[in-house]
């Protein structure tokens, strides 16, 4: 059986470093066909990463789980199986196309709420910091003994 560490190393090298380098080459050479291939791969790999995060916590006990992860990443990458292209064209593209408007609306709402949340959090943080500074200053003022005045 393959351990978690070996599986992780293989997925990092073959699932991320190798594709990242070839994505760089596609951008550098302006090869549109390769660029599209690697964009499809990264979209599928992003979904894989989300699923992997949940699966690692729930089904890692399954026999041959780590071997299946390695085989899946190799299948995604292989120019013979074109796994990433297959998943993207058959499943993800149709799904994303049908839900695109809803996803875009959700992202806009999340951005608006996120900005408001950050502004409110910032205000609360500044108010807290100001209160803490004033409290510390007042406390220090009352607890520090006054210097004795010497008369000449």
């Amino acid at each position: 059986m393959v351990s978690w560490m070996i599986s992780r190393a293989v997925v990092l090298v073959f699932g991320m470093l190798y594709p990242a380098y070839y994505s760089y080459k596609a951008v550098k050479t302006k090869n549109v066909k390769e660029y599209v291939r690697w964009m499809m791969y990264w979209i599928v790999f992003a979904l894989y990463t989300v699923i992997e995060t949940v699966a690692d916590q729930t089904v890692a006990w399954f026999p041959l789980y780590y071997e299946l992860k390695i085989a899946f990443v190799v299948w995604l990458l292989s120019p013979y199986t074109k796994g990433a292209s297959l998943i993207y064209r058959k499943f993800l593209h149709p799904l994303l196309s049908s839900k695109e408007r809803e996803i875009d609306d959700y992202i806009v709402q999340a951005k608006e709420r996120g900005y408001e949340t950050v502004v409110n959090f910032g205000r609360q943080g500044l108010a807290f910091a100001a209160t803490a500074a004033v409290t510390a200053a007042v406390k220090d003022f009352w607890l520090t003994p006054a210097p004795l005045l010497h008369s000449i």
Side-chain angles (χ1 to χ4, degrees), residues 123-151:
R123 283 185 190 142
Q124 291 174 355
L126 287 174
F128 178 77
T131 303
V134 168
T135 302
V138 168
K139 189 176 185 180
D140 187 50
F141 176 78
W142 289 108
L143 293 178
T144 305
L148 297 174
L149 297 175
H150 296 280
S151 56

Side-chain angles (χ1 to χ4, degrees), residues 16-140:
M16 297 182 94
L17 292 178
Y18 176 85
Y21 181 72
Y22 278 93
S23 297
Y24 154 77
K25 300 275 277 183
V27 170
K28 182 180 174 188
T29 61
K30 297 180 174 96
N31 183 333
V32 175
K33 184 178 177 183
E34 284 298 300
Y35 187 80
V36 170
R37 173 185 177 215
W38 290 111
M39 285 301 295
M40 286 190 288
Y41 172 81
W42 287 115
I43 293 167
V44 172
F45 193 80
L47 177 63
Y48 162 79
T49 302
V50 170
I51 293 169
E52 176 194 34
T53 302
V54 174
D56 281 353
Q57 302 300 316
T58 56
V59 295
W61 55 266
F62 189 77
L64 303 176
Y65 172 73
Y66 296 110
E67 290 84 348
L68 290 171
K69 282 174 53 170
I70 292 169
F72 182 73
V73 169
V74 170
W75 178 79
L76 285 178
L77 278 173
S78 174
Y80 303 108
T81 61
K82 298 181 181 177
S85 178
L86 179 73
I87 290 175
Y88 179 81
R89 292 178 195 276
K90 295 286 184 185
F91 301 106
L92 288 179
H93 181 74
L95 176 66
L96 292 172
S97 293
S98 70
K99 302 289 185 183
E100 188 170 0
R101 168 72 109 199
E102 296 163 42
I103 294 169
D104 288 342
D105 290 345
Y106 178 78
I107 290 171
V108 167
Q109 289 175 2
K111 282 181 182 178
E112 289 170 358
R113 282 192 224 129
Y115 177 75
E116 291 171 10
T117 301
V118 168
V119 168
N120 287 334
F121 184 71
R123 283 185 190 142
Q124 291 174 355
L126 287 174
F128 178 77
T131 303
V134 168
T135 302
V138 168
K139 189 176 185 180
D140 187 50

